[in-house]
Amino acid sequence: MPNERITIKDIAEKAGVSVGTVDRVLHKRPNVSKKALSLVNKALEEMKYEPNMYASALANSRRYDFYCLIPKHESEAYWEEVEEGQRKCCDVRRDFHVHINMKYYGRNDVVSFNEQSRAILEAKPDGVIVVPAKLDITRPFTDELHAKGIPFIMLDSYLPDLRPLAFYGQDSFASGYFAAKMLMLIAANETEIMFMKQTLDGINVASKQQVNREVGFRHYMADHFPNVRINDLDLPYQNTRKQHNLLLEKYFQEHPATHHCITLNSKAHIVGEFLLRTNRRDVQIMGYDMVEKNARCIREGSISFLIAQHGYQQGFYSVDALVRAIILKKHVTPVNYMPIEILSKENVDFYRRTQI
């Protein structure tokens, strides 16, 4: 018997109990004898009854508060796409009274992460989305979420030891390997390339995701282009544009053979804009994320390729996963790798970050 044709009356007749008893069982109300509960559950199993969770959720007028713990970021940053996707999902799922609340922590700032995670726990959220810091910093927070029975989704870096409900992001090793492969399609005859990183107070601010990309990148280079020298260039995160320009000018004076550069973060435009201002048309950089500053550089030719991470989709799907798991009681796929998509001058304007 198809589920949509099964009524409470059908179940009551099958179980040999009253309609009121079935209603109490379905809605988990008290005052049902063990015998009646057993009869009703047996009837539900034999009839393969599945409750219409969608209709039940719509009938429930309660508010659901989700929290997202995410790094602090400037405008036109990758994380803005994530936030836009989350807000869009809340709008799409507005019939379920879903709300997303943002909390921001500083990269490599343990105190900030702890303060914001504590604020989230004190708010007693229905679900959480977290962009993790290092494993040992994030674990106390996620352990408390588990202890309180609060499901959480992980973005950007996949830390399976923390046992998230689900993860959304790229396979970081594969992404870095792919980035190297695409770069060397146009740099195969080069003797050296520049690898741009960002630091904060002398410390690499790369996320675990970026660290794993670098492992994949260097693995490909070691296997296929072991004789190409990789020159690391650290650009302090807190530096001004002028200070960045001085470091870049010095680098290119000392490395005139460099014609191709790469960064595994969303800041390729720092180098791209420098190349445009100094009219260095024989040098290009490859990077990540279709933020507008990067898009302008790729259109003008100083960025060769961008790898899109689909941040908007990650944001949308992370909220939707909480809706499906918490409200609709649906199974959620634990690991969800996003496609590794490459953008060039020829197709960047056709990229639709809002497409779901």
Side-chain angles (χ1 to χ4, degrees):
M1 181 182 294
N3 183 61
E4 59 267 26
R5 297 182 181 177
I6 298 175
T7 66
I8 290 181
K9 184 178 179 181
D10 295 328
I11 301 168
E13 290 178 353
K14 178 77 172 177
V17 299
S18 69
V19 169
T21 297
V22 174
D23 183 75
R24 286 194 292 276
V25 171
L26 291 178
H27 292 90
K28 295 180 170 45
R29 297 192 183 106
N31 302 321
V32 179
S33 69
K34 290 183 178 180
K35 181 180 179 181
L37 179 62
S38 177
L39 289 170
V40 172
N41 283 334
K42 182 180 178 182
L44 292 173
E45 183 178 352
E46 291 177 354
M47 300 172 81
K48 297 181 179 179
Y49 175 81
E50 294 183 3
N52 188 339
M53 298 306 302
Y54 193 91
S56 298
L58 286 176
N60 186 351
S61 61
R62 67 156 290 189
R63 173 188 172 113
Y64 292 90
D65 275 305
F66 301 148
Y67 277 76
C68 180
L69 182 57
I70 193 170
K72 292 178 182 176
H73 54 270
E74 59 190 20
S75 62
E76 288 195 21
Y78 164 73
W79 297 114
E80 273 198 330
E81 289 194 35
V82 175
E83 289 192 51
E84 288 177 27
Q86 291 175 337
R87 289 193 293 269
K88 178 63 177 178
C89 187
C90 289
D91 183 56
V92 170
R93 294 293 200 176
R94 60 185 175 276
D95 289 345
F96 297 136
H97 311 289
V98 173
H99 301 267
I100 188 73
N101 305 276
M102 308 305 300
K103 292 290 184 181
Y104 304 96
Y105 68 91
R107 281 288 191 189
N108 290 353
D109 186 342
V110 179
V111 173
S112 172
F113 185 91
N114 290 340
E115 287 176 350
Q116 297 305 316
S117 59
R118 177 55 53 190
I120 290 174
L121 289 167
E122 290 175 355
K124 299 179 180 179
D126 296 291
V128 172
I129 299 161
V130 57
V131 177
K134 293 180 180 179
L135 179 65
D136 59 334
I137 297 171
T138 310
R139 190 190 295 276
F141 176 45
T142 55
D143 281 351
E144 284 209 51
L145 291 174
H146 282 299
K148 295 178 181 296
I150 301 171
F152 66 93
I153 305 293
M154 194 166 285
L155 295 182
D156 186 53
S157 300
Y158 183 37
L159 305 178
D161 288 352
L162 302 184
R163 297 174 292 126
L165 173 68
F167 163 75
Y168 289 89
Q170 286 184 343
D171 180 325
S172 52
F173 178 91
S175 179
Y177 193 93
F178 176 78
K181 188 173 185 178
M182 292 300 100
L183 175 66
M184 298 315 293
L185 287 177
I186 58 174
N189 297 322
E190 300 298 318
T191 58
E192 64 179 40
I193 59 173
M194 183 254 276
F195 185 22
M196 188 271 276
K197 301 180 182 180
Q198 285 202 286
T199 57
L200 181 63
D201 297 325
I203 301 172
N204 189 352
V205 295
S207 65
K208 182 175 176 59
Q209 183 86 319
Q210 290 174 25
V211 170
N212 287 341
R213 285 178 199 156
E214 183 173 346
V215 173
F217 172 83
R218 292 188 183 274
H219 188 84
Y220 179 89
M221 294 299 293
D223 283 351
H224 298 280
F225 292 89
N227 296 323
V228 174
R229 187 167 66 251
I230 301 172
N231 301 321
D232 290 352
L233 175 65
D234 295 335
L235 295 183
Y237 183 79
Q238 66 271 38
N239 270 18
T240 64
R241 176 187 288 184
K242 182 178 180 180
Q243 290 170 320
H244 283 152
N245 289 346
L246 290 173
L247 290 171
L248 288 165
E249 189 66 54
K250 179 181 178 183
Y251 173 86
F252 286 110
Q253 286 176 356
E254 295 176 352
H255 300 88
T258 296
H259 301 288
H260 292 279
C261 317
I262 189 167
T263 184
L264 303 180
N265 59 42
S266 63
K267 303 297 185 180
H269 60 83
I270 294 176
V271 178
E273 290 171 349
F274 169 81
L275 296 174
L276 292 173
R277 283 195 300 272
T278 55
N279 200 32
R280 283 178 166 84
R281 295 295 176 175
D282 62 336
V283 183
Q284 292 178 314
I285 184 169
M286 178 179 177
Y288 276 71
D289 302 326
M290 220 292 283
V291 296
E292 184 53 36
K293 288 181 180 179
N294 284 344
R296 286 197 295 268
C297 289
I298 203 171
R299 293 186 189 105
E300 295 185 43
S302 61
I303 292 180
S304 54
F305 297 118
L306 289 171
I307 292 180
Q309 296 187 74
H310 298 275
Y312 183 95
Q313 285 89 334
Q314 288 186 47
F316 186 99
Y317 292 142
S318 62
V319 173
D320 199 58
L322 291 177
V323 170
R324 286 183 286 117
I326 297 169
I327 303 175
L328 300 179
K329 313 300 181 186
K330 298 291 186 181
H331 170 74
V332 173
T333 303
V335 181
N336 304 270
Y337 286 126
M338 307 301 293
I340 302 172
E341 184 173 1
I342 193 159
L343 305 177
S344 66
K345 182 177 182 179
E346 290 73 26
N347 72 346
V348 69
D349 289 328
F350 303 106
Y351 176 73
R352 295 289 182 268
R353 68 178 182 174
T354 58
Q355 185 176 0
I356 297 296

